[in-house]
């Protein structure tokens, strides 16, 4: 069994033997989009399966080959086919769904906007015309750094309408993070907001953007959405307000034809190095995968009201707020703010107000609701809900059961969906009309998806065993490469378990997993140096290099430690330079420094100052020991340590720091 950075093995073990199961009700099964096991058999011929699924989206001209896997691991899906994704998401709905609501927007302060498919189509066209007038053409990269307002999905779609490539940077990232992402993709235009609303306060997005833009030579124009109306500096000749750009533009714009394999977007995610990876997704296969999974995992019907609470800055928002739902012509809620503004019942008020039928959120959010107590969901009528889902990290069985009882009212199938930025869409998940679920298990690979658990040598582990999660054949929404770095793509995902000499190509997901006797997958967390904090991927190395960037820091080691609410929390161990004193003021300064370098989500929960870090004789930091210390476990093997004494000292300091933290709570 690989070492898991998120050692949940004990709980999962107990659970796997307990085997509490939840079968779909007869009523749900009868009405489900997919309700026959035969779909799994169909999925075995995965090329044929995905060819059939492709009919759900609109193509301008068909493919000559479904999958070209002649140059692995570089896949081509729907070879030679032409389309523009916005025609599937917008144009084709105009005839029968023009007046259907695409988005119910709910602003955090309480303002609302309703956009029908026709409205959205016109808004997208206007912005596409506006962006074109700024010089954006097919293949150009456009960076997007915004809050969750309607102009955000409109921006993604307008870029796609021109056949250009969007690169959304989550609004919680810092100026430095934005700058690096803009520079990596050499984006030509940035779309941002003056400010965004968050937790009753304002996030100064344009100001952060301005800080980044001093060092982004590729950016020619900046489009600024007025969200709060703040008085912000505009740079003459570079910056233009969104409304000034689009107001006089035509609301018609012919979509640019793209090839199925033309890039649709880049989305940066943390890997095991300090430099985030630009995950590149292409057009046809991605849309087929996003649309299939949205329709069938969430069992979407025409009159449903869908709500995915993710931010469009993450892949979940790309696939399940924008592309999947719009390709399926469904109605969705777009909420700008946090779950506890103005009160801790905000999400449930929204469910009640819009009569949300399917609700999709992260385990960390569910655990937060558990902490807040049942009075908040109990205030609201949640009877519209038919299905609830989770994504982003393993859901612990307690949270699953709480979600089932208090949000699903014992009446909604729960879909625990495993996937990644790289996979583009859901890969392992129940099909709610078919699958009997077990709390804590994402169950089985979807039809058309191949997954296996392997040992260190890449051999399949028999049922009942654990190892590394792998994907055994290509799938339509898979990343095509890491932007600008194909070697890294091959190396990170395909080199560990593939056997090219035997023609065997296996994708390594970076997760540990077990499979029970029924073939159910139980995800155990990352096996690499990637942390999962509130469902967000953060690399230990990225945080370490942010810490080391501070003038007082000599060396830093960062690990993820288990946290009851956020899944993992960031624990940092820092050695300081020369005679610098590690006091509380410096501690606060370092946390802030990380926020500035990466974003607030990467701020360490704890920092321990130490004279030395535990290292092997070859000088490698032993993060495993630091994890043991952080999680107050019996220390693992210390025989390879060059400096064994230091561990005791660190453990004492960590203990003292955690009692300080607790007494401050
Ligand atoms: O470790 C897995 C965890 O989140 C990682 C992917 O993170 P990201 O690319 O940011 O995408 C998150 C949203 C798709 C995975 O490698 N993960 C995601 N979903 C689950 C999960 N772990 C367990 N169960 C899940 N349902």
């Amino acid at each position: 069994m690989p070492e898991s950075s998120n050692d949940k093995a004990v709980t999962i073990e107990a659970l796997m033997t307990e085997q509490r199961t939840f079968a779909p009700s007869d009523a749900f099964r009868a009405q489900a989009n997919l309700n026959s096991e035969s779909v799994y058999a169909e999925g075995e011929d995965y090329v044929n399966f995905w060819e059939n699924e492709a009919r759900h989206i609109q193509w301008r001209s068909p493919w000559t080959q479904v999958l070209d896997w002649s140059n692995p691991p570089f896949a081509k899906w729907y070879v030679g086919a032409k389309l523009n994704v916005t025609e599937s998401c917008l144009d084709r709905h105009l005839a029968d769904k023009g007046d259907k609501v695409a988005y119910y927007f709910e602003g955090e302060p309480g303002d609302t906007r309703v956009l029908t498919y026709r409205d959205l189509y016109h808004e997208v066209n206007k912005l596409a015309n506006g962006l074109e007038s700024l010089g954006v053409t097919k293949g150009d990269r456009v960076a997007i750094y915004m809050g969750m307002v309607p102009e955000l999905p409109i921006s993604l779609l307008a870029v796609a309408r021109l056949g250009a490539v969007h690169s959304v940077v989550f609004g919680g990232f810092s100026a430095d993070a934005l700058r690096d992402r803009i520079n990596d993709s050499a984006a030509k235009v940035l779309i941002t907001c003056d400010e965004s609303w968050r937790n009753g306060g304002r996030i100064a997005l344009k100001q952060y953007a301005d800080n980044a833009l001093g060092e982004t030579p590729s950016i020619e124009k900046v489009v600024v959405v007025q969200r709060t109306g703040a008085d912000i500096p505009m740079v003459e000749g570079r910056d233009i307000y969104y409304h000034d750009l689009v107001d006089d533009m035509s609301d018609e714009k012919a979509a640019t034809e793209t090839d199925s394999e033309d890039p649709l977007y880049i989305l940066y995610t943390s890997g095991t190095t300090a430099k985030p990876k630009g995950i590149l997704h292409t057009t046809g296969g991605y849309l087929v995968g996003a649309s299939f999974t949205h329709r069938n995992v969430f069992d979407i019907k025409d009159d449903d009201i869908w709500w995915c609470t993710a931010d469009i800055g993450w892949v979940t928002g790309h696939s399940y707020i924008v592309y999947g739902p719009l390709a399926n012509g469904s109605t969705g809620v777009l909420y700008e703010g946090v779950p506890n503004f103005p009160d801790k019942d905000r999400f449930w008020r929204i469910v009640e107000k819009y009569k949300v039928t399917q609700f999709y959120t992260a385990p960390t959010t569910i655990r937060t609701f558990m902490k807040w107590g049942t009075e908040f969901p109990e205030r609201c009528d949640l009877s519209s809900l038919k299905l609830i889902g989770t994504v982003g990290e393993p859901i612990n069985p307690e949270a699953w059961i709480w979600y089932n009882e208090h949000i699903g009212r014992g009446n909604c199938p729960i879909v625990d969906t495993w996937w990644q930025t790289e996979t583009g869409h859901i890969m392992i998940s129940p099909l709610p009309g078919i699958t009997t679920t077990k709390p804590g298990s994402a169950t089985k690979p979807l039809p058309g998806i191949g997954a296996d658990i392997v040992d260190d040598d890449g051999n399949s582990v028999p049922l009942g065993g654990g190892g590394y999660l792998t994907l055994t054949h290509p799938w339509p929404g898979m990343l095509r490469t890491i932007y600008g770095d194909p070697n890294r793509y091959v190396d990170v995902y395909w080199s560990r378990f593939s056997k090219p000499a035997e023609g065997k190509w296996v994708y390594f997901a970076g997760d540990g997993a077990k499979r029970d006797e029924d073939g159910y997958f139980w995800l155990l967390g990352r096996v690499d140096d990637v942390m999962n904090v509130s469902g967000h991927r953060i690399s230990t190395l990225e945080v370490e290099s942010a810490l080391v960037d501070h003038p007082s820091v000599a060396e830093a080691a960062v690990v993820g430690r288990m946290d009851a609410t956020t899944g993992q929390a960031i624990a940092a161990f820092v050695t300081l330079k020369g005679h610098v004193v590690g006091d509380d003021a410096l501690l606060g300064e370092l946390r802030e420094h990380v926020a500035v370098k990466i974003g607030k989500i990467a701020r360490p929960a704890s920092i321990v100052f130490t004279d030395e870090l535990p290292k092997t004789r070859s000088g490698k930091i032993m993060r495993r020991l630091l994890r043991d210390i952080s999680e107050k476990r019996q220390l693992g093997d210390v025989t390879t340590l060059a400096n064994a004494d230091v561990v005791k000292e660190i453990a004492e300091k960590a203990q003292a720091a955690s009692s300080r933290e607790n007494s401050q709570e």
Side-chain angles (χ1 to χ4, degrees):
M1 185 59 210
E3 182 190 1
S4 161
S5 61
N6 194 0
D7 223 329
K8 296 213 167 73
V10 181
T11 359
I12 300 281
E13 209 82 70
L15 219 104
M16 283 169 69
T17 48
E18 193 186 308
Q19 296 272 330
R20 200 168 157 197
T21 60
F22 293 78
S25 69
D26 289 345
F28 193 94
R29 190 188 294 269
Q31 61 81 59
N33 291 346
L34 292 178
N35 51 15
S36 161
E37 283 279 349
S38 63
V39 67
Y40 288 98
E42 287 161 29
E44 271 164 33
D45 181 355
Y46 71 91
V47 173
N48 188 48
F49 180 84
W50 290 116
E51 177 156 38
N52 288 336
E53 282 309 321
R55 72 188 158 78
H56 288 278
I57 69 166
Q58 184 161 314
W59 304 85
R60 285 195 183 181
S61 59
W63 47 91
T64 52
Q65 193 183 351
V66 182
L67 168 66
D68 177 358
W69 191 231
S70 60
N71 180 30
F74 298 94
K76 290 186 181 153
W77 281 89
Y78 311 110
V79 181
K82 307 291 177 202
L83 74 164
N84 181 293
V85 288
T86 65
E87 291 180 337
S88 285
C89 293
L90 301 171
D91 305 52
R92 67 164 164 170
H93 301 315
L94 294 182
D96 59 340
K97 292 182 178 162
D99 295 326
K100 181 173 176 175
V101 174
Y103 290 120
Y104 285 112
F105 168 69
E106 170 97 3
E108 195 187 74
D111 56 324
T112 58
R113 255 175 90 184
V114 179
L115 282 108
T116 64
Y117 272 92
R118 186 170 299 105
D119 297 335
L120 191 61
Y121 168 83
H122 286 143
E123 294 296 329
V124 167
N125 286 336
K126 287 173 112 173
L127 181 59
N129 280 318
L131 291 173
E132 191 177 58
S133 76
L134 299 180
V136 175
T137 58
K138 187 173 173 181
D140 284 344
R141 275 80 56 212
V142 175
I144 298 174
Y145 181 62
M146 294 169 71
M148 283 277 285
V149 288
E151 289 81 0
L152 176 52
I154 290 168
S155 295
L156 273 69
L157 294 163
V159 172
R161 190 129 184 116
L162 297 172
V165 182
H166 54 75
S167 167
V168 183
V169 179
F170 172 56
F173 277 125
S174 69
D176 285 13
L178 174 64
R179 175 199 62 204
D180 294 348
R181 285 157 176 77
I182 288 175
N183 288 339
D184 188 75
S185 65
K188 193 172 187 177
V189 168
L190 171 70
I191 311 176
T192 188
C193 296
D194 52 1
E195 296 178 322
S196 71
W197 289 114
R198 187 117 197 119
N199 206 8
R202 296 154 180 254
I203 309 281
L205 287 176
K206 174 65 162 57
Q207 189 188 317
Y208 297 147
D210 280 337
N211 292 343
L213 289 165
E215 295 172 67
T216 54
S218 60
I219 293 285
E220 295 169 12
K221 298 281 175 191
V222 178
V223 180
V224 184
V225 174
Q226 241 179 355
R227 171 58 181 139
T228 65
D231 188 15
I232 51 161
M234 296 287 279
V235 174
E236 184 76 38
R238 185 195 72 181
D239 300 354
I240 178 164
Y241 275 115
Y242 182 102
H243 57 264
D244 289 334
L245 178 67
V246 304
D247 273 358
D248 295 332
M249 292 290 162
S250 158
D251 59 11
E252 292 294 336
K253 171 77 194 157
T256 302
E257 185 165 283
T258 60
D259 186 88
S260 175
E261 282 299 333
D262 279 338
L264 176 62
Y265 68 81
I266 302 167
L267 188 58
Y268 287 85
T269 187
S270 292
T272 51
T273 70
K275 187 175 183 290
K277 302 172 290 195
I279 302 302
L280 184 87
H281 283 291
T282 59
T283 303
Y286 172 77
L287 197 66
V288 172
S291 141
F292 167 80
T293 48
H294 175 253
R295 195 168 53 252
N296 294 306
V297 171
F298 303 111
D299 200 49
I300 298 293
K301 302 288 193 288
D302 203 29
D303 49 5
D304 281 343
I305 310 291
W306 159 250
W307 186 20
C308 164
T309 70
D311 192 291
I312 293 176
W314 308 107
V315 73
T316 308
H318 281 58
S319 299
Y320 300 112
I321 297 180
V322 185
Y323 291 109
L326 296 179
N328 293 331
S330 53
T331 297
V333 171
L334 183 70
Y335 172 56
E336 180 180 34
V338 298
N340 53 339
F341 185 86
D343 199 356
K344 297 187 179 82
D345 60 3
R346 185 66 183 272
F347 272 19
W348 317 125
R349 296 245 173 254
I350 292 174
V351 168
E352 179 181 78
K353 176 173 174 188
Y354 296 103
K355 301 198 168 33
V356 171
T357 45
Q358 289 96 343
F359 176 79
Y360 190 37
T361 197
T364 186
T365 313
I366 297 167
R367 289 193 294 266
T368 305
F369 292 134
M370 286 172 74
K371 218 163 59 181
W372 289 341
T374 54
E375 69 166 286
F376 300 102
E378 276 163 11
R379 281 181 193 167
C380 303
D381 177 4
L382 305 183
S383 61
S384 56
L385 289 173
K386 299 193 293 191
L387 175 146
I388 53 182
T390 74
V391 60
E393 52 180 315
I395 178 162
N396 50 314
E398 298 79 0
W400 197 105
I401 300 285
W402 187 93
Y403 197 33
N404 179 51
E405 283 175 10
H406 297 286
I407 307 305
R409 303 150 347 272
N411 202 14
C412 295
I414 295 184
V415 289
D416 171 0
T417 63
W418 178 89
W419 58 297
Q420 308 178 297
T421 307
E422 291 87 342
T423 69
H425 51 76
I426 298 168
M427 303 292 281
I428 302 179
S429 158
L431 282 172
I434 301 175
T435 314
T436 293
T437 54
K438 302 181 187 183
S441 168
T443 74
K444 294 190 178 182
L446 290 174
I449 300 299
D452 195 11
I453 294 178
V454 301
D455 62 19
D456 281 303
D457 300 322
N459 300 315
S460 184
V461 172
L463 295 188
Y468 303 97
L469 177 64
T470 59
L471 301 169
T472 52
H473 60 69
W475 63 99
M478 65 193 276
L479 78 163
R480 298 305 195 262
T481 189
I482 293 175
Y483 188 76
D485 200 349
N487 292 336
R488 193 174 174 203
Y489 164 69
V490 178
D491 195 46
V492 171
Y493 302 107
W494 299 93
S495 65
R496 180 112 182 228
F497 297 116
S498 296
K499 297 190 175 108
E502 297 166 28
K504 191 176 159 206
W505 287 90
V506 174
Y507 173 92
F508 172 45
D511 280 23
K514 288 191 168 201
R515 200 163 29 182
D516 67 17
E517 300 294 340
D518 299 328
Y520 278 49
F521 287 69
W522 300 74
L523 278 307
L524 301 175
R526 304 287 305 187
V527 292
D528 51 15
D529 289 324
V530 172
M531 299 172 286
N532 190 329
V533 181
S534 299
H536 301 319
R537 255 162 88 168
I538 300 169
S539 139
T540 54
L541 270 134
E542 223 174 319
V543 181
E544 285 170 7
S545 70
L547 286 165
V548 173
D549 176 78
H550 189 279
S552 300
V553 174
E555 203 173 20
V558 165
V559 296
R561 68 165 144 85
M562 268 193 275
D563 182 276
T565 307
T566 58
Q568 286 190 302
I570 302 176
F573 299 83
V574 168
T575 61
L576 296 169
K577 280 185 189 156
H579 300 292
V580 178
V581 180
D583 54 15
D584 280 355
L586 182 59
L587 204 138
E589 202 179 307
L590 291 183
R591 293 185 74 232
E592 240 2 85
H593 189 71
V594 176
V596 168
K597 297 305 288 181
I598 307 173
K600 286 183 182 149
I601 51 167
R603 253 189 326 217
S606 61
I607 298 180
V608 171
F609 294 120
T610 167
D611 295 337
E612 266 183 89
L613 292 168
K615 287 186 186 164
T616 60
R617 287 182 186 90
S618 60
K620 199 165 172 275
I621 296 172
M622 290 188 73
R623 290 196 180 74
R624 177 172 56 78
L625 288 180
L626 295 174
R627 264 200 306 271
D628 288 344
I629 290 172
S630 303
E631 295 179 353
K632 302 189 181 71
R633 269 197 305 270
Q634 189 79 30
L635 293 190
D637 186 6
V638 293
T639 51
T640 53
L641 268 183
N643 49 355
D645 296 346
V646 78
V647 176
K648 194 162 157 265
E649 182 201 320
I650 299 176
E652 281 164 11
K653 285 189 175 163
Q655 183 65 40
S658 95
S659 355
R660 257 203 319 277
E661 260 175 57
N662 291 341
S663 65
Q664 281 163 9
E665 271 181 11

